[in-house]
Amino acid sequence: MVRLYNTLSGKVEELQTLSPGAVRMYSCGPTVYDYGHIGNFRTFVFVDLLRRFLRQSGLKLDHVMNITDVDDKIIRNAAERGLGVREYAVKYEEAFLEDMRWLGLEQPEHLTRATEYIPQMARFIAQLTAKGLAYKTEDGSYYFRIAKFPEYGKLSKKDFAGIEVGARVDVDEYEKDNARDFALWKSPKPGEAFWETEIGPGRPGWHIECSVMAREILGDSFDIHLGGEDLVFPHHENEIAQTESLTGKPMARFWLHCRFLLVEGEKMSKKLGNFYTPRDLLLMGHKASAIRYLLTSVPYTKQLNFTFDGLKQAAHSVERLRTLKNRLEKGKFPAGSNPKMAELASATKSKMRAGLDDDLNTAVALGAVFDLVREANTAADAGELKKDDVPGLIAALHRFDEIFNVLEDRDGAVTRAALEWGKSVGRLTPEQSAPWESSLSDAQIEALITERNEAKKLRDYARSDALRHQLADAGVILEDTKDGVRWKRK
Ligand code: AMP
Ligand code: ZN
């Protein structure tokens, strides 16, 4: 019996799906303006574990994850580099999908891009407006009228009784606690990318994307909506307001949120120098399986404190599991069977099951599998693990790995791919002793610098910035001096 903590009810509840035997779910995907960090991947690994666990529980999966390929940061970064929105975002989208593969995450049944659902978003906003739930401002933007949705606040348990009617929020770049009418659609600012639609030119707000893509594929109501804890408010609260005020039906029955990952006890930030992407860790020589294992090791409802000691421990744990599997597959054991080993295999399976049934308690499941590792090794050392016990023990490990996915050793291939990437962007550290190779020759670098000087003379700053970024991506550092531009390789 699968039980999950539902943020909406504030309780652990039994999962009953709308259609028997199948689960329809939506998880908020990445905003692809940069490489994903390990905090993001804590949430994505949690979603992957849930997928695998629900499948093991006999449910057919129908899972949508969006890729937010348009937002303020993407538009700004793309413009700075003289690129189109999609052209800019696709690089990070591909990197994200590659990170998913490297960390052993399954692709959801549907991956949807915001930029592919713009007309549907405009339609949705037109319908909200026709019902008086949204309004257009003078500049052509649209806002949701939260005073029209009395249940506003039911997910985040915030009280909006005293809210000022018509007060607006103009930013949608992760506004955190503005209890105000929020933007559904933003009219274009000069020089910004926009779409021409039935409600006028502009681009969608962040929240409307998820409401629309979820409804297009999963329908008005579905089973589970997932994301990191920072999404409870305002993102998911706003999704509920938009969808439920339009359809009059509950959007999702379960709302699950993954607690944040901290690094060495602190919030991860570039400023503190404790900001890591999976790619950074791979280039430092850590294994993909250890990263995945560490991210799964703490139940999703508890804060996970990432430390390098923890990562080392995780690598050691993966090694112990693989060593036992190898021993069972390749070792020689006396003929016969030991009933204690059959008991051990079956007790491990039921303990894992009970742990995961209890709101995906991965710590209990891991505890059970390590009891098996210890006891099977002790029995084998004493000659008490017999030939006929082997298949049962391997089956228990297999059951574990259907969810945790760390037993098969893909680490070498992932590390090689990460090193290739590190080389291509000039990010290899000297300790890795791989000689850094610029993808550009000296002559090519000089030619790009001349081109950049000319662009600057013509005041084409978009072009000159794009050239500077191209050089930076190839590991070339420019110094503007009074005698002209000097350059060196990183
Ligand atoms: P973003 O790409 O910023 O929209 O985030 C993608 C996902 O990562 C969202 O579900 C966020 O809630 C989640 N997330 C962001 N930071 C962290 C963190 N430090 N720990 C866990 N999840 C996070
Ligand atoms: Zn979302």
Coordinates of all heavy atoms in Angstrom, one line a residue, residues 28-31 37 39-40 42-44 174 227-228 230-231 259-261, ligand 1:
C28 N 7.7 19.4 -12.3 CA 8.2 20.6 -12.9 C 9.7 20.4 -13.2 O 10.5 19.9 -12.4 CB 8.1 21.7 -11.8 SG 6.4 22.2 -11.6
G29 N 10.0 20.6 -14.5 CA 11.4 20.4 -15.0 C 12.3 21.6 -14.8 O 12.0 22.5 -14.1
P30 N 13.4 21.5 -15.5 CA 14.4 22.5 -15.3 C 14.1 23.8 -16.1 O 13.5 23.7 -17.2 CB 15.7 21.9 -15.8 CG 15.2 21.0 -16.9 CD 13.9 20.5 -16.4
T31 N 14.6 24.9 -15.7 CA 14.7 26.1 -16.5 C 16.1 26.1 -17.1 O 17.1 26.2 -16.4 CB 14.5 27.4 -15.6 OG1 13.3 27.2 -14.9 CG2 14.4 28.6 -16.5
H37 N 22.3 22.1 -11.2 CA 23.2 21.8 -10.0 C 22.7 20.6 -9.2 O 21.6 20.1 -9.5 CB 23.3 23.1 -9.2 CG 22.0 23.7 -8.7 ND1 21.3 23.0 -7.7 CD2 21.4 24.9 -9.0 CE1 20.2 23.8 -7.5 NE2 20.3 24.9 -8.2
G39 N 21.5 20.4 -6.3 CA 20.2 20.6 -5.6 C 19.1 20.2 -6.6 O 18.2 19.5 -6.2
N40 N 19.1 20.8 -7.8 CA 18.1 20.4 -8.8 C 18.1 18.9 -8.9 O 17.0 18.3 -9.0 CB 18.5 21.0 -10.2 CG 18.6 22.5 -10.3 OD1 19.5 23.0 -10.9 ND2 17.7 23.1 -9.6
R42 N 18.8 16.6 -6.8 CA 18.2 15.9 -5.7 C 16.7 15.7 -6.0 O 16.2 14.6 -5.9 CB 18.3 16.7 -4.4 CG 17.6 15.9 -3.4 CD 17.5 16.4 -2.0 NE 17.2 15.3 -1.2 CZ 16.6 15.3 0.0 NH1 16.4 16.5 0.6 NH2 16.3 14.2 0.7
T43 N 16.1 16.8 -6.5 CA 14.7 16.7 -6.8 C 14.4 15.8 -8.0 O 13.5 14.9 -8.0 CB 14.1 18.1 -7.0 OG1 14.1 18.8 -5.8 CG2 12.7 18.1 -7.5
F44 N 15.3 15.9 -9.0 CA 15.0 15.0 -10.2 C 15.3 13.5 -9.9 O 14.6 12.6 -10.4 CB 15.8 15.5 -11.4 CG 15.5 16.9 -11.8 CD1 16.4 17.9 -12.0 CD2 14.1 17.2 -12.0 CE1 16.0 19.1 -12.4 CE2 13.7 18.5 -12.4 CZ 14.7 19.4 -12.6
Y174 N 11.0 33.9 -10.3 CA 11.0 33.4 -9.0 C 10.6 34.3 -7.9 O 11.3 34.5 -6.9 CB 12.4 32.8 -8.7 CG 12.7 31.7 -9.5 CD1 13.2 31.8 -10.8 CD2 12.5 30.4 -9.1 CE1 13.4 30.8 -11.6 CE2 12.7 29.3 -9.9 CZ 13.2 29.5 -11.2 OH 13.4 28.4 -12.0
G227 N 7.6 18.5 -7.3 CA 8.7 19.5 -7.5 C 9.5 19.7 -6.2 O 9.2 19.0 -5.2
G228 N 10.4 20.6 -6.2 CA 11.2 20.9 -5.0 C 10.3 21.8 -4.1 O 9.4 22.4 -4.5
D230 N 10.7 24.7 -2.8 CA 10.6 26.1 -3.1 C 9.4 26.4 -4.1 O 9.0 27.5 -4.3 CB 11.9 26.7 -3.7 CG 12.3 25.9 -5.0 OD1 12.0 24.7 -5.1 OD2 12.8 26.6 -5.9
L231 N 8.9 25.3 -4.7 CA 7.8 25.5 -5.7 C 6.4 25.6 -5.1 O 5.5 26.0 -5.7 CB 7.8 24.4 -6.8 CG 9.2 24.3 -7.6 CD1 9.0 23.4 -8.7 CD2 9.6 25.7 -8.1
R259 N 12.5 18.1 -0.1 CA 13.2 19.1 0.7 C 14.5 19.5 0.0 O 15.1 18.7 -0.7 CB 13.5 18.5 2.1 CG 12.3 18.4 3.1 CD 11.8 19.7 3.5 NE 12.7 20.6 4.3 CZ 13.0 20.4 5.6 NH1 12.4 19.5 6.3 NH2 13.8 21.2 6.2
F260 N 15.0 20.6 0.4 CA 16.2 21.1 -0.3 C 17.5 20.4 0.1 O 17.6 19.8 1.2 CB 16.4 22.6 0.0 CG 16.0 23.5 -1.1 CD1 14.9 23.1 -1.9 CD2 16.7 24.6 -1.5 CE1 14.5 23.8 -3.0 CE2 16.3 25.4 -2.6 CZ 15.2 25.0 -3.3
L261 N 18.4 20.4 -0.7 CA 19.8 20.0 -0.5 C 20.6 21.1 0.0 O 20.5 22.2 -0.6 CB 20.4 19.4 -1.7 CG 21.8 19.0 -1.8 CD1 22.0 17.8 -2.7 CD2 22.7 20.1 -2.4
Ligands
AMP1 P1 14.8 25.2 -11.7 O1 15.6 24.7 -12.8 O2 15.5 26.3 -10.9 O3 13.4 25.6 -12.0 O4 14.7 24.0 -10.6 C1 14.4 22.7 -11.0 C2 14.0 21.9 -9.8 O5 15.0 21.8 -8.8 C3 12.8 22.4 -9.1 O6 11.9 21.4 -8.7 C4 13.4 23.1 -7.8 O7 12.4 23.1 -6.8 C5 14.5 22.1 -7.5 N1 15.6 22.7 -6.7 C6 16.2 23.8 -6.8 N2 17.2 24.0 -5.9 C7 17.2 22.9 -5.1 C8 17.9 22.4 -3.9 N3 18.9 23.1 -3.4 N4 17.5 21.2 -3.4 C9 16.5 20.5 -4.0 N5 15.8 20.8 -5.0 C10 16.1 22.0 -5.6

